[in-house]
Amino acid sequence: MKKIGFLSFGHWTPSQQSQTRSASDTLLQSIDLAVAAEELGADGAYFRVHHFARQLSSPFPLLAAIGAKTSRIEIGTAVIDMRYENPLYMAEDAGAADLIAGGRLQLGISRGSPEQVIEGWRYFGYAPTEGESDADMARRHTNVFLDVLQGKGFAQPNPQPMFPNPPGLLRLEPHSEGLRERIWWGAATNATAQWAAKLGMNLQSSTLKFDESGKPFHIQQAEQIRMYRAAWKEAGHAREPRVSVSRSIFALVDDRDRAYFGRSDSQDHFGYIESEKLAVFGRSYAAEPDVLIEQLKGDEAIAEADTLLLTVPNQLGVEYNAHVIEAILTQIAPALGWR
């Protein structure tokens, strides 16, 4: 059994071919798709975060709005780039959104990927300290974020406050109990997956990772997941971790599907997203349901994960994306034992 959700990058473009021609279109349709996905029986609505781009950027207003309009579906990110974040302000935003949603937030965070501008985090007021890389800065922000989510007091109260204080040191408010255990790390390497396990974060592994063996993507990703679980066990955490993988999967069940995805490339690709760091990009899956089922049986990483996030072409509109999700839930998942 697996939890199955969707992952949207939230693109928009003024093109006449796009159903999302503005930021308003993307935000409002993201809410509508989450509502539709919940009605279909999907388990999660997740959103990618990018800055300086015509894509979703500030996740918490969107997550709070979805939380207010749904009642069951998990609501999350995959991922928030921690190089750009004030971890204390982020903890307040996350706490508020989680309380509105009734404790359904699943926040994916990470160092982030290459962005639209050079060192964009500097425009947000952040810079690595001496001897620190931007990745180190992201992990430093993450450690602070995880610490304050525990809800312990750390700030000295004013002896003459405007309003009465509870006794002792003060914590950030609003605090949402349990959110600390619903933080995920998006890992592109085996080492960062193991680091996330030691800190007690769940694991998100996307449709790419840095190449560490030359093996097919799904095998490298499965190995990463097994290393993560071993590190989690060694760390001695009391609870069981969660692991998600992302995939582009399209069941070709009507002429629209065949027109859009009937010629999709079905091979892994190797390339560079950062200088001197070879990455492997996982294949897309697009086939008639019976063929698709057999293809997915061979994906080792999906087998290792408890959560599958379906990347959706959000510019094709809510109705079509709901159709894509429904086809996986009704025609593919039961045959594979995911439902």
Side-chain angles (χ1 to χ4, degrees):
M1 302 292 288
K2 296 189 188 299
K3 290 184 178 292
I4 302 175
F6 73 83
L7 171 60
S8 173
F9 278 54
H11 295 281
W12 73 86
T13 175
S15 167
Q16 293 295 313
Q17 305 303 315
S18 175
Q19 297 295 312
T20 52
R21 300 176 189 175
S22 67
S24 176
D25 288 342
T26 293
L27 288 162
L28 295 174
Q29 288 187 32
S30 294
I31 298 169
D32 291 343
L33 183 58
V35 171
E38 180 173 81
E39 292 172 350
L40 291 170
D43 301 297
Y46 287 74
F47 302 91
R48 186 66 167 91
V49 178
H50 278 292
H51 300 288
F52 299 102
R54 290 179 175 180
Q55 297 178 46
L56 296 169
S57 58
S58 54
F60 292 107
L62 174 62
L63 298 177
I66 293 173
K69 296 200 70 171
T70 58
S71 60
R72 180 192 58 79
I73 198 168
E74 293 181 344
I75 309 163
T77 52
V79 289
I80 297 172
D81 187 333
M82 292 302 289
R83 295 174 296 180
Y84 287 77
E85 295 296 326
N86 177 322
L88 274 70
Y89 193 70
M90 180 178 172
E92 291 181 342
D93 275 351
D98 195 42
L99 290 170
I100 289 171
R104 289 182 283 132
L105 247 57
Q106 303 285 341
L107 287 183
I109 62 177
S110 83
R111 188 215 71 169
S113 59
E115 290 285 317
Q116 299 299 105
V117 300
I118 298 170
E119 297 184 345
W121 25 270
R122 293 188 184 274
Y123 295 98
F124 279 57
Y126 305 113
T129 60
E130 185 175 354
E132 220 184 21
S133 68
D134 63 318
D136 294 331
M137 178 176 67
R139 286 188 281 269
R140 171 164 53 85
H141 287 180
T142 296
N143 280 311
V144 174
F145 179 62
L146 295 176
D147 188 47
V148 297
L149 283 183
Q150 296 182 60
K152 297 178 182 178
F154 62 91
Q156 189 68 39
N158 187 338
Q160 296 179 315
M162 182 176 294
F163 306 105
N165 282 323
L169 298 177
L170 300 183
R171 69 183 185 185
L172 292 178
E173 301 289 357
H175 172 69
S176 186
E177 193 70 36
L179 179 56
R180 170 62 180 83
E181 295 186 354
R182 288 179 273 116
I183 305 301
W184 306 58
W185 184 260
T189 67
N190 295 340
T192 53
Q194 292 169 312
W195 173 80
K198 292 175 183 177
L199 268 64
M201 288 187 281
N202 299 314
L203 176 66
Q204 286 182 338
S205 196
S206 95
T207 52
L208 70 87
K209 70 182 295 293
F210 289 117
D211 176 42
E212 298 183 76
S213 68
K215 297 177 183 177
F217 170 77
H218 73 102
I219 293 176
Q220 290 200 48
Q221 192 175 51
E223 292 172 347
Q224 179 194 53
I225 293 169
R226 288 191 283 269
M227 290 179 185
Y228 166 82
R229 292 191 188 278
W232 183 280
K233 184 177 181 180
E234 183 179 350
H237 301 301
R239 65 180 177 87
E240 285 296 312
R242 287 183 61 185
V243 175
S244 74
V245 295
S246 304
R247 290 290 185 275
S248 297
I249 305 175
F250 301 97
L252 306 182
V253 298
D254 65 21
D255 290 341
R256 290 180 303 171
D257 301 325
R258 297 181 189 96
Y260 286 136
F261 302 107
R263 298 181 181 179
S264 293
D265 189 354
S266 61
Q267 302 295 322
D268 290 348
H269 293 277
F270 289 81
Y272 292 88
I273 59 170
E274 295 184 7
S275 61
E276 300 182 358
K277 283 189 176 182
L278 184 64
V280 54
F281 301 79
R283 58 170 292 184
S284 297
Y285 292 93
E288 304 293 327
D290 56 340
V291 175
L292 188 57
I293 289 165
E294 293 304 312
Q295 291 175 343
L296 292 170
K297 284 180 181 178
D299 192 309
E300 291 187 15
I302 292 179
E304 289 282 349
D306 58 77
T307 300
L308 173 63
L309 301 183
L310 306 169
T311 61
V312 294
N314 74 284
Q315 291 186 86
L316 295 181
V318 173
E319 186 274 332
Y320 181 72
N321 280 286
H323 158 78
V324 168
I325 296 167
E326 183 177 26
I328 301 301
L329 293 176
T330 60
Q331 300 198 41
I332 306 301
L336 290 166
W338 300 346
R339 277 289 187 271

